[in-house]
Amino acid sequence: MDATLVGPQAPVGAAAERLRTAARDRVACPPLRDLVDPDDVATAYAVQERLTELRLADGARVVGRKIGLTSPAVQAQLGVDQPDFGVLFDDMAYATGAELPTGRLLQPRAEAEIAFVLDADLAHGPLDFAQVRGSVAYAVAALEIVDSRIAGWDITIADTVADNASSGLYVLGSTRRTLAEVEPMDVEMWMFVDDGLVSTGNGAACLGDPLAALGWLARTAREFGNPLRAGQVVLSGALGPMHPVRPGARVTAAISGLGSVTTTFAAHEERS
């Protein structure tokens, strides 16, 4: 028997197993509040860490992090009041124009973001604004396809943290800009589903500045013992409200200074 399913770590192991089973079987599960107190973020991150260990054991590779719940609009949508973070794995990444495998997702929603690619570690030093800004190689427009293994998105902050910050997939645009060429706080965003405008926002909606969100993550990740590293991708958080998507949908986000990023969802929900 898995040692995390008995003894003091029993809730962590049981919660991780519930979420892992939901992801594997593509069947959403009940919330975790019978196992993890809705406000117990520390235990929720322990569940996330356990799931990360299992993914790594299965051969997945960590390529970055995502910051979630940075936009007041998204916080209001989900009834939470603080940011969180999750892990990006290599099999979550797609390039603009790609068709996404709908069968990998349960109840997806799209949100438009700025992604940063780092060219320096954020492991030492003050991790202040200047250091964080200087660590960015370039920024690109991104779509994050958030997803929840919790049925009906009936989540608390503990549910979403444990569930890898409700991560699904992500899509990166092809236009790369240095921070000498674009100021993240000043961008404007428009997101379309099948040519209909469904979300608008701006850089200031992301914790006041997407670089402030990156700084929060850099400090938090170091506190957790897994600092950000050169070459990693960071999804800095939603610039506006997320929107549900369905098989066959086409999603495009335009972000001033960064161009656009687009993706389509496979019309048939093939299950792998």
Side-chain angles (χ1 to χ4, degrees):
M1 178 179 291
D2 188 329
T4 61
L5 297 180
V6 295
Q9 288 296 99
V12 171
E17 185 61 25
R18 181 181 297 179
L19 292 169
R20 191 184 192 202
T21 298
R24 182 193 65 217
D25 296 346
R26 308 289 196 260
V27 177
C29 65
L32 304 178
R33 54 195 67 129
D34 60 318
L35 298 169
V36 180
D37 186 275
D39 297 320
D40 189 352
V41 176
T43 296
Y45 275 117
V47 176
Q48 182 187 125
E49 183 176 3
R50 174 61 179 153
L51 287 168
T52 298
E53 291 169 351
L54 292 169
R55 286 295 318 272
L56 294 176
D58 288 340
R61 181 171 56 89
V62 173
V63 297
R65 308 285 178 82
K66 64 151 286 184
I67 312 169
L69 306 177
T70 56
S71 163
V74 173
Q75 289 182 357
Q77 281 182 298
L78 297 181
V80 299
D81 61 0
Q82 58 184 297
D84 66 354
F85 73 86
V87 177
L88 300 179
F89 297 101
D90 55 335
D91 64 351
M92 296 167 60
Y94 289 83
T96 186
E99 182 179 78
L100 301 186
T102 310
R104 284 184 57 182
L105 303 164
L106 292 177
Q107 38 194 350
R109 300 176 177 184
E111 56 187 36
E113 309 189 7
I114 296 175
F116 297 115
V117 177
L118 306 181
D119 65 359
D121 291 351
L122 287 171
H124 305 289
L127 300 185
D128 57 12
F129 188 84
Q131 182 183 358
V132 168
R133 185 183 183 96
S135 74
V136 175
Y138 58 87
V140 298
L143 288 168
E144 184 183 0
I145 312 306
V146 294
D147 198 14
S148 180
R149 272 51 64 177
I150 305 296
W153 280 90
D154 181 16
I155 61 174
T156 65
I157 184 66
D159 290 301
T160 189
V161 166
D163 191 21
N164 197 27
S166 300
S167 296
L169 309 172
Y170 68 95
V171 184
L172 297 184
S174 59
T175 301
R176 299 179 178 184
R177 293 286 184 261
T178 69
L179 296 188
E181 297 173 303
V182 65
E183 188 58 55
M185 182 174 64
D186 295 338
V187 304
E188 298 290 334
M189 178 278 292
W190 302 265
M191 188 172 74
F192 303 84
V193 174
D194 297 332
D195 298 323
L197 182 64
V198 298
S199 179
T200 61
N202 53 52
C206 180
L207 285 187
D209 185 337
L211 288 171
L214 177 58
W216 173 85
L217 175 63
R219 293 183 290 273
T220 304
R222 185 170 69 177
E223 289 172 5
F224 275 78
N226 292 295
L228 299 177
R229 299 296 184 184
Q232 290 188 332
V233 177
V234 175
L235 300 180
S236 60
L239 302 176
M242 57 187 176
H243 193 273
V245 288
R246 67 187 191 289
R250 182 179 74 258
V251 181
T252 299
I255 300 178
S256 60
L258 292 172
S260 63
V261 55
T262 189
T263 192
T264 57
F265 290 77
H268 302 288
E269 299 187 23
E270 288 132 353
R271 308 238 168 192
S272 57

